[in-house]
Each structure stands twice: as structure tokens, then as C-alpha cells.
Amino acid sequence: QNDILKEYFARGTYIYPPKPGLRLAVDLIRFAAERVPRWYPISISGYHIREAGADAVQELAYTFADAVEYLKGALAAGLEIDRFAPRLSFFFNAHNDLFEEAAKFRAARRIWHGIMTEKFGAKEPRSAQLRFHAQTAGSTLTAAGFETNAVRVALQALAAVLGGAQSVHTNSRDEALGLPTEESVRLALRTQQVIAFESGVTSTADPLGGSFYIERLTDEIVRRVEEELDNIERRGGALACIESGYFAEGIAASAYAHQRAVETGGRKVVGVNCFPDPEQGNVELLKVNPELGRERREKLARYRSGRKEGPLAEALAELRNAAEEEGAPLMEPIVDCIRAGGTVGEISGALREVFGDFDER
């Protein structure tokens, strides 16, 4: 994905502090624009922000605020906006409220177009087009009555299609219990295929356009997201909001309000706080072969024992030197390390020596 910023307040899979993390992400955008211009170097993700507990407005606002940081970083690196912006993509969450989600996706396209044309002056039409993938909401899956999750997933996928997603991932019904079984994965795939080939919703672009309710809801989401984006800008932008804890606090407040509504019965969750199912019997779960971990470690050891250490040591030293120099390219020395036989752990370890580890406390 290469979207490191959301990790600091939504998912937590980071190593380095935010500024070096942002530097790495932007440098990959620079590298791709120069060396592999038809490749998409980043998928800016609202999915994990929503999964952490954000509401629909926060999902869009925080995601687009992150996107603005990447845009500013790429411009500061000397790239022209229309050289790299057509290859930016997004990843959003498809949640339970069918109409709100469809309106959210419609609003997202309008907001992104305004950001690109009005804020950054993009001239190439493709720079202002919102390309996005949507995945159904893992956080809505329930362990109790897990079969009902298939219905939730179908509605969420439908919302994504009605909202104009370019691609969709449907979660499996048993993912609240563990990794999905082959049967559950097949049902998730068939859900996509029925929507795509039997429902008729793909026969026209924007099938909900013109509906009074959808248009009003779209306008309302646009207004609220743009207000929050202005608020984030006044606070210094996404990086400042990450460092101050503003994003994390906003998500925590929304997550708490949601959970309180579930626990008090204000928000209905079928099979959890209403319409309970009979006691579930034994459920078939996917079992992972415990030997896989040992096999992978042995394979890695064989790989490392068969390479020349001298060229790798030199390449890692060059990477550390580049990391110490503010603004120096990082992707080229990273590629050199890979060509010398370096592993992901060794390369990230070399950068850790310079950047350090991030402690959110």
C-alpha cells in the first residue's frame, strides 16, 4: 500500500517515526514517476481508519488529509503534479448503512476533484479522477450467528458498486472466528459475481444519481468532510494531527460512541443484541499447518548462507549514508541492497539504525 501515515493512528504497523516514514513513502512515489510511470506507487487507505472506529466523515477527511501530505511531499521533491497524480489510488471501507456508504463514495469523488483542481491546480483530467478499491467492513462481522455475515457482506458490496468502486473485495462470513475456509471464500466470491452479472446494477454509471435523498446525503457528506479538512489544515495538516494525537482521539471518540450504542441497544446488531440465534455447534475453522513457520525459517537460512556478504555490506552502508542525508533518494540504494541479496529485515534494520523506532507515547 505504501500508505504509512494511517498506520500511526489507525493500525499500528510502523517502525520509524512519522517524518522518516513519510519520506520513504514519498520517495517511492518519486521513484515510480521516474522509473516505472505506469505503476501505482501508493494506495491511500481509509479502510483501516474506518476499521479502527472512525465514522464515514472521518474516514474521508483523514484519508484525504493524508493524501494532501503525500502530494505536498512529492511536489517538494520536485515532481510536477500531473506527472504523478494520475497514478494515485485509494482504498475505502464499505460499511453497513447502504445509502450513507453509496453517498460517501459519490462525495469522495467530488472532494478529490476539488482538492486536485482547486488546491493543487492539476490540469490533466486523470489527476482529478478518484480511483478506489473498496472492501467490505471486517469490523461489522460477528462471531455470534456468523452465517448472517454473508448478508452484511452482500449489502456492503452492493453499496460499493452503487457508489462507483473500481474494484471490490468481499470478506468471508467466518472471518470473525479465524482465517476463512475455502467454502466461505467461495461464497464471498459468488456474492461479487451475482452482483456483477445478475443484479443489473452495473448497467449504468451512478445508478442512484438524481435521488433526492442520495443527492442531499452526498451534499451533506461533502460539506462535513470539507469542514473537517479545513480544521485539519488549521491544525497544521495530517502530520501535525498525527503527532498531536488529534486523529487518534477523534477515532476513539467515534468508536466509543458506536460501542455504547450497541451495548445500550440504540444500534441494532442482528444476532448480537437482538434476534439472537440458537447456540452454535462446532464450527469448522481453517487450520494452518504449524510446520510452515519452520519451513520458511529454514528457507531463509539457506538463502542467506548462499550469498556473498561483502557486496551486501557495502550496499547496506550506502543505504545508511543516504538515510542520514536529508532529502537524498532512498529507493535506489534500497534496490541496490535487494540486488546484493539483502532481505526486508536487513534493509529495514539498516534504516532503523538511522531513523530509530517510533514510540507513540
Side-chain angles (χ1 to χ4, degrees):
Q1 287 180 335
N2 192 36
D3 174 16
I4 189 60
L5 291 180
K6 57 93 172 46
E7 300 294 341
Y8 295 104
F9 60 93
R11 190 164 63 164
T13 54
Y14 50 75
I15 300 174
Y16 320 115
K19 288 180 181 178
L22 177 60
R23 177 185 171 187
L24 276 165
V26 168
D27 196 59
L28 179 55
I29 295 173
R30 187 271 314 165
F31 180 85
E34 294 175 356
R35 305 292 187 92
V36 278
R38 297 182 67 181
W39 190 60
Y40 288 86
I42 191 168
S43 175
I44 307 166
S45 177
Y47 183 85
H48 307 93
I49 296 171
R50 190 67 177 274
E51 288 292 282
D55 61 26
V57 169
Q58 290 170 321
E59 178 188 355
L60 292 190
Y62 296 176
T63 303
F64 286 137
D66 286 349
V68 167
E69 288 287 359
Y70 295 127
L71 290 167
K72 290 179 178 178
L75 292 172
L79 294 177
E80 296 180 359
I81 190 72
D82 287 322
R83 185 179 180 187
F84 68 92
R87 290 291 165 175
L88 302 182
S89 64
F90 290 83
F91 174 25
F92 291 118
N93 196 300
H95 227 261
N96 271 343
D97 190 319
L98 182 87
F99 293 130
E100 180 180 65
E101 291 301 290
K104 179 190 76 178
F105 296 130
R106 300 177 80 247
R109 286 200 296 275
R110 190 190 305 176
I111 295 164
W112 182 242
H113 187 276
I115 289 172
M116 294 307 300
T117 58
E118 298 169 18
K119 187 178 182 70
F120 288 95
K123 304 300 181 185
E124 165 64 55
R126 293 184 304 125
S127 296
Q129 292 174 351
L130 183 75
R131 300 157 197 79
F132 73 93
H133 171 76
Q135 179 176 341
T136 57
S139 61
T140 67
L141 301 179
T142 64
F146 74 95
E147 295 94 341
T148 309
N149 291 328
V151 181
R152 295 187 178 97
V153 168
L155 289 173
Q156 293 164 5
L158 179 61
V161 175
L162 291 172
Q166 274 71 53
S167 60
V168 177
H169 171 91
T170 44
N171 292 330
S172 297
R173 59 182 178 173
D174 53 359
E175 289 191 49
L177 302 171
L179 293 175
T181 62
E182 184 174 351
E183 180 184 2
S184 293
V185 171
R186 186 182 303 109
L187 179 60
L189 173 61
R190 296 291 179 257
T191 301
Q192 290 197 32
Q193 292 166 335
V194 169
I195 292 173
F197 298 108
E198 295 188 22
S199 71
V201 296
T202 60
S203 299
T204 181
D206 194 19
L208 297 182
S211 158
F212 172 79
Y213 177 63
I214 292 295
E215 296 294 353
R216 188 186 70 174
L217 192 54
T218 302
D219 291 342
E220 175 68 10
I221 293 173
V222 169
R223 181 188 64 80
R224 292 176 60 196
V225 171
E226 289 181 341
E227 286 179 355
E228 181 60 9
L229 283 170
D230 289 342
N231 177 40
I232 292 167
E233 194 71 21
R234 287 192 297 271
R235 291 172 176 270
L239 199 59
C241 287
I242 290 168
E243 293 174 336
S244 70
Y246 175 74
F247 284 167
E249 291 169 3
I251 292 173
S254 292
Y256 178 78
H258 172 86
Q259 188 61 29
R260 284 291 297 160
V262 172
E263 292 178 1
T264 58
R267 180 182 290 271
K268 303 299 183 186
V269 181
V270 174
V272 174
N273 63 2
C274 63
F275 312 112
D277 289 324
E279 189 73 21
Q280 290 179 178
N282 291 330
V283 178
E284 179 188 354
L285 298 177
L286 179 69
K287 293 180 174 62
V288 178
N289 183 354
E291 288 296 303
L292 290 177
R294 179 186 59 78
E295 292 172 2
R296 293 300 298 176
R297 288 191 295 271
E298 291 177 353
K299 183 177 180 180
L300 177 60
R302 289 194 299 271
Y303 170 78
R304 295 177 68 174
S305 66
R307 68 190 180 186
K308 296 180 179 179
E309 295 299 327
L312 175 59
E314 293 177 8
L316 290 172
E318 288 298 319
L319 176 58
R320 285 189 288 268
N321 291 338
E324 290 172 350
E325 182 182 345
E326 187 68 32
L330 294 173
M331 282 305 303
E332 285 81 357
I334 288 174
V335 171
D336 290 340
C337 289
I338 294 169
R339 287 173 173 160
T343 65
V344 171
E346 290 165 331
I347 293 169
S348 61
L351 292 172
R352 181 187 274 113
E353 293 178 29
V354 179
F355 297 149
D357 291 283
F358 179 59
D359 184 351
E360 63 180 339
R361 294 172 296 181

